[in-house]
Amino acid sequence: MNGIKQILISKEELGKKVKELGNKISNDYEGKDLILVGVLKGGFVFLADLIRELKIPVEIDFISVSSYGSSSKSSGVVRIIKDIDISITNKHVMIVEDIADTGLTLKYLKEMLQTRGPADIKIIAALDKPSRRKVEIDLDYKGFTIPDEFVIGYGLDYAGKYRNLPDLCILDEEVYK
Ligand code: PRP
């Protein structure tokens, strides 16, 4: 596909890692009721792969958030576009994200969901870009730590496109220059 500089993590590597994470979560949550909260839009591919590697019963819901305009993304103010439908009170919750970048989205979401009285809340991110972090967040489970490159695919977009790439790729600079 046009616009791809190189593959950073292949679909085979992604698949292997998701299987490992699925096994770990299945062991850690044995006998517990788990609700997975996928963060739209980017998180849906990882969530879809992850749930099929779980050997425990889980419920799924989605939340959609947006920062107040691109210029204020760094402010950490997040607007809920679509909230989850199900109650998480006294339930074990896991937020499922494609990537932790500045950490602002995950910090906000965890604090917001915490006010609803869950048994506990953990975070899983397929990708971690720690070099971009602005606030401290604890990733309980994660797939890969990646360098500060513009990545696309596996749910991540550039201008709404490329989410369907099965590999995680680096975007060609020519596309956004
Ligand atoms: C991306 C990603 C995370 C967030 C991470 O979403 O899916 O939700 O940014 O960034 P942060 O750690 O700096 O908060 P984006 O706003 O691009 O929306 P999308 O998932 O709909 O593409």
Side-chain angles (χ1 to χ4, degrees):
M1 203 183 286
N2 277 347
I4 298 170
K5 186 173 167 189
Q6 69 178 82
I7 292 177
L8 186 62
I9 305 171
S10 70
K11 69 173 180 183
E12 289 78 17
E13 291 172 284
L14 288 161
K16 191 163 165 258
K17 183 66 78 174
V18 175
K19 198 180 263 290
E20 281 170 26
L21 289 166
N23 286 336
K24 184 159 184 7
I25 292 167
S26 300
N27 286 330
D28 293 353
Y29 284 85
E30 208 179 340
K32 292 181 179 164
D33 286 326
L34 179 61
I35 297 178
L36 296 170
V37 176
V39 186
L40 295 172
K41 298 175 180 153
F44 83 100
V45 174
F46 178 44
L47 178 77
D49 281 353
L50 182 66
I51 56 172
R52 286 175 290 172
E53 300 295 346
L54 295 176
K55 294 155 192 78
I56 49 167
V58 290
E59 279 183 87
I60 313 296
D61 208 339
F62 292 95
I63 197 161
S64 179
V65 297
S66 163
S67 48
Y68 278 110
S70 50
S71 61
S72 60
K73 183 152 189 179
S74 58
S75 69
V77 178
V78 171
R79 184 162 55 104
I80 305 288
I81 307 285
K82 183 222 168 287
D83 204 341
I84 50 173
D85 304 319
I86 52 183
S87 166
I88 57 168
T89 307
N90 298 323
K91 299 281 181 64
H92 300 281
V93 175
M94 193 177 296
I95 303 171
V96 183
E97 261 286 25
D98 51 354
I99 187 165
D101 194 345
T102 64
L104 290 165
T105 305
L106 280 168
K107 183 177 193 298
Y108 177 87
L109 279 178
K110 188 172 182 184
E111 286 173 4
M112 192 273 286
L113 294 174
Q114 197 76 62
T115 64
R116 301 181 185 179
D120 63 25
I121 302 185
K122 298 220 164 147
I123 295 173
I124 182 167
L127 307 165
D128 184 19
K129 218 189 240 185
S131 55
R132 297 254 309 158
R133 201 74 92 246
K134 287 189 176 150
V135 289
E136 206 177 302
I137 46 160
D138 192 12
L139 299 180
D140 301 283
Y141 302 89
K142 76 171 156 183
F144 296 91
T145 300
I146 60 167
D148 189 10
E149 298 277 3
F150 200 127
V151 283
I152 48 169
Y154 203 64
L156 287 94
D157 75 308
Y158 169 68
K161 304 258 170 51
Y162 300 104
R163 294 192 201 273
N164 56 313
L165 293 174
D167 306 299
L168 184 78
C169 300
I170 298 178
L171 183 67
D172 197 328
E173 290 98 1
E174 295 300 320
V175 177
Y176 58 93
K177 246 193 224 161

